[in-house]
Amino acid sequence: MCPGRKAGKGRTKIINQVLFQKYHVLSLLGSGGSSSVYLAEHLKLEQYRAVKCIPKAQVRISTQYLEASLLKSLRHPGIPMIYDMEEDENFLYIIEEYIQGESLSAFLQNHNNISQETIISFGIQLCGIIEYLHNQKPYPILYLDLKPEHIIICGNQLKLIDYGISSVFGGHNIPSQSHGTPGFAAPEQRNGSHLVLQTDVYGIGAVLYYMLTKELLPPYSGTVYLFPKYCSLHFKKIIKKAVSPEYKKRYQNANELRKALLKISLGRADIQQKAHLLKKISIIGSQEHIGVTHIAVSLVSWLNHLDQDAYYESVETTNFLSSLACYQDHVWEEHGVLRYHNFQAVTASSFWSETKKSHIFVQDYGTDVVSVQGEENRDLLILVLGSRTWEMEYGLRACQALSGEEDLILICNYNDKQTAGKYASILKRQVYYFPLDQDPFAWTKEKHRLFQEIWKGRRR
């Protein structure tokens, strides 16, 4: 049971207590006007949880229940999970995923110069989260309160928190239920008009503007935007369209805005033009345990980040997909496809045969050089080479075996520029090197630069 002992206005003294015989409360994470959030450990699972403690006497509990009910069925890497709800005489407790990271607001305070590349990358992720909310069935969910304080940066992943004023959009215009936050709220929120999907599009545009300028959007009438000099003309146009005072003149949904951002992100248009010509990419290693699967997964995730609809396929027997399904959160499988973040993998041969003409397939051959040599209708072959001195012999043998293959790309692993240079000197051809990388699913600048260079250097 919960002790329920009060400690100050609207707060309960529960640190070092065990709630509901499950959650050992460790510390206070933060508090606001209507709730306090504590760090707790689940005693049986030995995992951290965030416990939001809400006094019943001060708030509308129906609003808090609405937030929990909205979140409990959602499964997206950018949305915190709701694990449990409890209550006692005085308080409501929402048990949530514990998120480690810093708010976008703190990030902006700690960094004087943020590149347009980073801002666009954050914008693309925000669009993906909002698009997921808008695609909920039977009715879309409107978030309605986008601002830096509600965006948490966790490594390479953004998390959108605090769904207290979100609304279910029942297929028709609904009256405004919240004024939102000045500087980020759309005009229809401020003047009490009906809310639409484009209301959240405005919020994304307002956050992008704030990241660029660290200023709130100016008043809606007679607007003068103060963009920094490094902001490209195309990016300015995108933001201006997203925050148009008239919702009909904005992007009609988050997906439209996301695609516009993708086109200007680090020369994506040129890469996409070449990428769409590829249908089958084979990846093989000169020997075992040199990162073939890691690079294949990274390539699939990168292509999907560019909106290319790519799929991983394991040709050699591997336990990678089964381990992913068992141990990673936010993994789901449907219609023969396993999905996680931007990663997609084929798990049924019927899916491949039905869709091979319209999608990109990255095939992981492990070390099976014989099979990869006999593969037909391949558009690109990537050979992964070991970077250690004793691995070079295997690498050179594999290069010799595949020397007659067209569109052969050589990549030396472990960010070893020196060994890549040795290979290039011996083989008289370009050899790339893959950066040190812990998470194959994450987008990084280093991996983007590598794949971008490979794409631009292709002969076709």
Side-chain angles (χ1 to χ4, degrees):
M1 60 177 294
C2 175
R5 291 183 293 172
K6 293 186 178 180
K9 185 178 180 180
R11 286 167 58 182
T12 181
K13 186 177 180 180
I14 60 175
I15 295 176
N16 291 326
Q17 302 291 330
V18 176
L19 301 183
F20 311 104
Q21 301 179 350
K22 288 189 288 186
Y23 306 106
H24 178 207
V25 181
L26 303 175
S27 62
L28 177 68
L29 293 174
S31 59
S34 62
S35 66
S36 297
V37 181
Y38 295 86
L39 175 64
E41 182 180 20
H42 192 292
L43 295 176
K44 291 185 178 180
L45 298 178
E46 297 183 345
Q47 294 179 344
Y48 290 126
R49 297 284 189 261
V51 179
K52 181 180 287 188
C53 182
I54 306 153
K56 291 182 176 179
Q58 294 187 22
V59 299
R60 291 175 54 197
I61 295 300
S62 59
T63 300
Q64 302 298 333
Y65 274 117
L66 173 61
E67 176 182 359
S69 64
L70 285 174
L71 289 175
K72 68 181 181 180
S73 61
L74 303 181
R75 293 294 182 270
H76 188 281
I79 298 175
M81 295 182 66
I82 294 290
Y83 294 106
D84 205 354
M85 290 179 62
E86 302 282 358
E87 62 180 299
D88 59 21
E89 182 179 351
N90 298 312
F91 296 92
L92 170 69
Y93 303 87
I94 301 177
I95 316 302
E96 302 180 357
E97 175 186 0
Y98 172 56
I99 299 174
Q100 290 182 290
E102 66 175 338
S103 69
L104 179 59
S105 178
F107 178 83
L108 293 172
Q109 290 177 0
N110 296 330
H111 295 78
N112 291 326
N113 298 309
I114 304 174
S115 67
Q116 177 174 304
E117 170 190 349
T118 299
I119 294 172
I120 292 174
S121 175
F122 285 171
I124 291 169
Q125 285 199 52
L126 277 180
C127 287
I129 299 171
I130 295 300
E131 181 184 358
Y132 175 81
L133 292 173
H134 289 181
N135 285 337
Q136 291 306 298
K137 305 297 183 183
Y139 303 117
I141 296 173
L142 304 184
Y143 180 76
L144 302 180
D145 200 16
L146 276 165
K147 58 183 178 180
E149 290 81 2
H150 288 172
I151 300 166
I152 306 298
I153 303 173
C154 307
N156 294 309
Q157 177 67 55
L158 295 189
K159 298 273 189 178
L160 188 58
I161 63 171
D162 201 336
Y163 292 72
I165 70 168
S166 299
S167 297
V168 176
F169 180 61
H172 304 282
N173 287 354
I174 57 176
S176 176
Q177 298 175 350
S178 168
H179 294 304
T181 301
F184 298 97
E188 59 267 24
Q189 289 181 270
R190 304 299 297 165
N191 61 27
S193 299
H194 290 85
L195 305 182
V196 289
L197 297 181
Q198 294 94 322
T199 302
D200 280 337
V201 170
Y202 184 99
I204 299 172
V207 170
L208 291 174
Y209 182 81
Y210 188 83
M211 283 193 282
L212 275 171
T213 66
K214 295 188 180 179
E215 299 285 345
L216 300 178
L217 278 171
Y220 307 124
S221 59
T223 298
V224 177
Y225 300 102
L226 303 175
F227 291 105
K229 292 181 179 180
Y230 70 85
C231 181
S232 69
L233 179 61
H234 197 171
F235 195 21
K236 293 177 184 178
K237 290 181 178 179
I238 288 175
I239 293 177
K240 288 181 179 179
K241 181 174 180 178
V243 299
S244 172
E246 299 180 42
Y247 76 85
K248 292 183 179 180
K249 293 183 179 180
R250 300 171 202 158
Y251 294 97
Q252 294 305 294
N253 51 58
N255 188 40
E256 278 192 13
L257 175 54
R258 182 177 68 89
K259 288 182 177 180
L261 292 172
L262 280 169
K263 289 182 180 180
I264 64 168
S265 179
L266 291 173
R268 289 181 192 299
D270 177 63
I271 296 172
Q272 287 177 316
Q273 186 176 5
K274 293 185 177 182
H276 87 277
L277 298 174
L278 300 173
K279 297 303 177 186
K280 187 189 296 184
I281 303 170
S282 301
I283 301 184
I284 190 168
S286 58
Q287 63 191 96
E288 296 182 349
H289 308 302
I290 58 172
V292 174
T293 298
H294 189 106
I295 293 176
V297 172
S298 297
L299 178 56
V300 170
S301 299
W302 177 76
L303 286 167
N304 284 324
H305 188 76
L306 298 181
D307 209 24
Q308 287 300 304
D309 208 8
Y311 296 84
Y312 169 92
E313 181 186 23
S314 177
V315 178
E316 186 185 61
T317 302
T318 176
N319 62 356
F320 165 70
L321 293 181
S322 59
S323 63
L324 175 66
C326 291
Y327 298 111
Q328 293 282 7
D329 292 333
H330 308 299
V331 174
W332 72 98
E333 185 173 2
E334 58 182 353
H335 307 304
V337 176
L338 190 73
R339 304 180 192 276
Y340 175 67
H341 289 212
N342 283 325
F343 176 73
Q344 302 179 126
V346 177
T347 59
S349 57
S350 58
F351 176 87
W352 193 93
S353 61
E354 293 172 2
T355 61
K356 63 182 180 180
K357 293 182 179 180
S358 57
H359 302 305
I360 301 172
F361 288 86
V362 178
Q363 298 178 311
D364 181 351
Y365 273 85
T367 59
D368 192 351
V369 174
V370 175
S371 294
V372 83
Q373 284 178 307
E375 184 64 40
E376 297 181 354
N377 302 320
R378 179 178 54 236
D379 299 296
L380 189 66
L381 174 60
I382 296 175
L383 172 60
V384 183
L385 305 169
S387 62
R388 299 174 178 86
T389 303
W390 61 88
E391 294 174 334
M392 285 194 66
E393 181 180 353
Y394 294 96
L396 293 173
R397 287 179 184 174
C399 289
Q400 180 63 32
L402 299 173
S403 60
E405 299 290 333
E406 294 185 1
D407 266 331
L408 175 65
I409 300 294
L410 304 180
I411 299 180
C412 187
N413 210 345
Y414 308 121
N415 200 37
D416 197 326
K417 184 177 181 180
Q418 183 177 4
T419 304
K422 291 180 180 178
Y423 277 117
S425 178
I426 295 171
L427 298 169
K428 307 300 181 185
R429 62 178 300 164
Q430 184 170 12
V431 179
Y432 301 93
Y433 52 95
F434 192 81
L436 291 175
D437 181 56
Q438 294 183 342
D439 186 356
F441 305 100
W443 183 95
T444 67
K445 296 178 183 177
E446 294 77 15
K447 286 190 289 189
H448 176 82
R449 290 192 185 102
L450 169 65
F451 292 135
Q452 181 185 40
E453 186 178 356
I454 289 173
W455 252 241
K456 287 185 177 180
R458 291 188 64 238
R459 289 192 296 273
R460 61 164 63 186

